[in-house]
Amino acid sequence: MDDNLMLIIMAVSIVTGGIAIGLNRSKNNPPRRLDLKELDEERAALFQEKYNKAVEDFNFIEQRLKASKDKELTARLKALQAIGKNILRQMEKEPRRITLAYKFVDYYQDRAVRLIQKYEELDETQLTTDRVRELKTKIKETLGGLEAAYEEQLERIVNDQMLSTEAEIRVLEEHFRTEGINKKSDDVTIEMSEVQSEGTQEKIFEAIPVERRQSTRVARPDDHLRNRSLIPEGERPAVIKQKMIQSALAIFLGTVGAHKFYQGKTLLGALYFMFSWTTIPTWIGLLEGVRYLFMPIDDFYKQYMKDN
């Protein structure tokens, strides 16, 4: 008698479960029509069919997620739906990627739906035997394993997109090379040299999000001044020579102000000479000599030669 009752309950559960699935799916918005104009009629019909099935299964899982009272099951389904939603979005953006998601549509998501159905059938029996509890636990664990399968499918779709992006980048790099455009390998520079207004350049820079400024070097309006040497072409050797002479005079003859006389600063040189009997000019000269020696050549030229 108990066995017959069990069979009747299971049969009723399966029938009512099937009816519930149809009702739940019908409550959701129908799948959107994809833009498949570039495909032939047969392939377009197949792609739309696969997409429709994916959306219907997604909607069913979403309904069961909302109705679930089991916290562990709810967490499993939320994780699946988050990834599944991204996969559907990729399919909508580029229908050709549906071919990369066949396993997701026809196997993984389909198995998720069937496992949820089996779980609900067991739940509706209201049995609390060890065997039922064990089977329900295994169903939830299997749903957790499907999460990795979902991720693999999403990665496969996105990987195809990344390969396409890399190909575009290679084409642009080849264009840069043929056009003689310099591109650093360790950063990306957004050139603004063609923008004449400094105010406009500042607005463009400020409009770029902070996170992009950190990951991508953006050319500021005054970058051309930073990157271009101030020293006129052909005068660099003379600047280096004066830098070395001035450093040596400060280090070895700074006590008597020789480096100041060399710079044409006669008054300061005289002060150094007048106080040469103390150790003050000696130490100051030594510090100045070291400073001249290690000063960037452009800074040295700007401070000691440009306006002289």
Side-chain angles (χ1 to χ4, degrees):
M1 182 68 180
D2 291 338
D3 292 340
N4 292 333
L5 180 60
M6 183 66 178
L7 290 173
I8 293 172
I9 293 174
M10 291 293 289
V12 171
S13 298
I14 293 172
V15 173
T16 55
I19 295 173
I21 291 172
L23 290 174
N24 284 330
R25 291 184 177 179
S26 64
K27 289 179 182 179
N28 289 281
N29 295 325
R32 58 182 288 186
R33 296 295 301 177
L34 300 177
D35 185 6
L36 303 168
K37 296 177 183 178
E38 297 181 359
L39 302 178
D40 59 75
E41 186 175 346
E42 184 177 351
R43 291 190 69 195
L46 177 62
F47 281 20
Q48 186 67 53
E49 179 185 348
K50 295 294 183 183
Y51 171 75
N52 291 350
K53 183 181 185 306
V55 172
E56 289 172 3
D57 288 341
F58 179 88
N59 288 339
F60 169 74
I61 297 174
E62 190 71 18
Q63 288 292 330
R64 304 331 299 156
L65 169 61
K66 294 177 180 178
S68 174
K69 296 180 181 179
D70 186 303
K71 292 183 179 180
E72 186 179 356
L73 179 65
T74 298
R76 302 290 190 188
L77 297 183
K78 279 185 177 180
L80 290 180
Q81 289 298 85
I83 305 170
K85 188 174 183 179
N86 283 331
I87 293 175
L88 290 178
R89 187 179 295 116
Q90 293 293 329
M91 295 166 70
E92 292 167 358
K93 285 172 59 179
E94 181 49 68
R96 292 179 183 273
R97 294 175 188 160
I98 293 176
T99 57
L100 301 172
Y102 277 179
K103 190 177 289 187
F104 165 77
V105 177
D106 294 329
Y107 190 80
Y108 294 135
Q109 194 173 229
D110 189 69
R111 290 302 182 275
V113 169
R114 292 189 184 186
L115 286 172
I116 294 169
Q117 292 172 355
K118 296 299 181 183
Y119 186 92
E120 290 182 340
E121 290 168 8
L122 290 171
D123 205 38
E124 288 172 1
T125 65
Q126 297 184 353
L127 292 173
T128 58
T129 63
D130 292 341
R131 186 178 179 185
V132 170
R133 284 199 299 268
E134 181 182 354
L135 187 54
K136 289 170 74 173
T137 299
K138 286 184 177 179
I139 289 175
K140 288 184 283 189
E141 290 175 351
T142 306
L143 287 170
L146 279 174
E147 182 180 348
Y150 271 43
E151 288 179 344
E152 182 273 333
Q153 286 289 285
L154 178 58
E155 184 177 358
R156 185 181 179 190
I157 297 172
V158 174
N159 182 60
D160 179 71
Q161 181 182 1
M162 289 190 295
L163 289 175
S164 176
T165 303
E166 288 173 352
E168 291 182 13
I169 290 174
R170 285 196 293 270
V171 171
L172 278 174
E173 288 177 337
E174 179 63 20
H175 173 75
F176 293 154
R177 188 185 66 79
T178 56
E179 294 293 328
I181 299 173
N182 293 326
K183 175 187 174 295
K184 294 183 179 180
S185 59
D186 58 341
D187 59 19
V188 178
T189 303
I190 300 175
E191 296 294 345
M192 296 184 180
S193 59
E194 294 182 1
V195 182
Q196 300 300 321
S197 169
E198 291 186 2
T200 303
Q201 291 177 348
E202 287 291 348
K203 290 179 181 178
I204 293 174
F205 181 80
E206 296 300 331
I208 298 173
V210 174
E211 60 271 17
R212 281 196 60 197
R213 296 184 206 171
Q214 294 172 348
S215 62
T216 302
R217 199 189 79 73
V218 180
R220 294 299 301 264
D222 57 347
D223 267 4
H224 65 287
L225 296 177
R226 299 176 186 175
N227 298 330
R228 186 184 303 168
S229 177
L230 298 173
I231 304 173
E233 188 176 356
E235 293 187 18
R236 195 176 188 86
V239 176
I240 295 174
K241 180 180 178 181
Q242 179 165 332
K243 183 171 179 286
M244 297 305 296
I245 293 174
Q246 192 166 306
S247 300
L249 289 174
I251 293 172
F252 298 107
L253 297 174
T255 303
V256 294
H259 60 297
K260 295 300 179 183
F261 287 112
Y262 180 77
Q263 295 174 30
K265 299 177 181 179
T266 308
L267 181 59
L268 281 175
L271 288 173
Y272 274 67
F273 183 79
M274 288 172 60
F275 290 94
S276 60
W277 59 275
T278 69
T279 59
I280 295 175
T282 303
W283 287 110
I284 294 177
L286 180 62
L287 292 174
E288 287 181 317
V290 173
R291 175 171 169 269
Y292 300 151
L293 187 62
F294 292 101
M295 180 182 292
I297 190 168
D298 282 351
D299 292 345
F300 182 86
Y301 173 80
K302 181 180 178 181
Q303 185 169 350
Y304 296 106
M305 297 183 66
K306 184 178 179 182
D307 298 325
N308 294 339

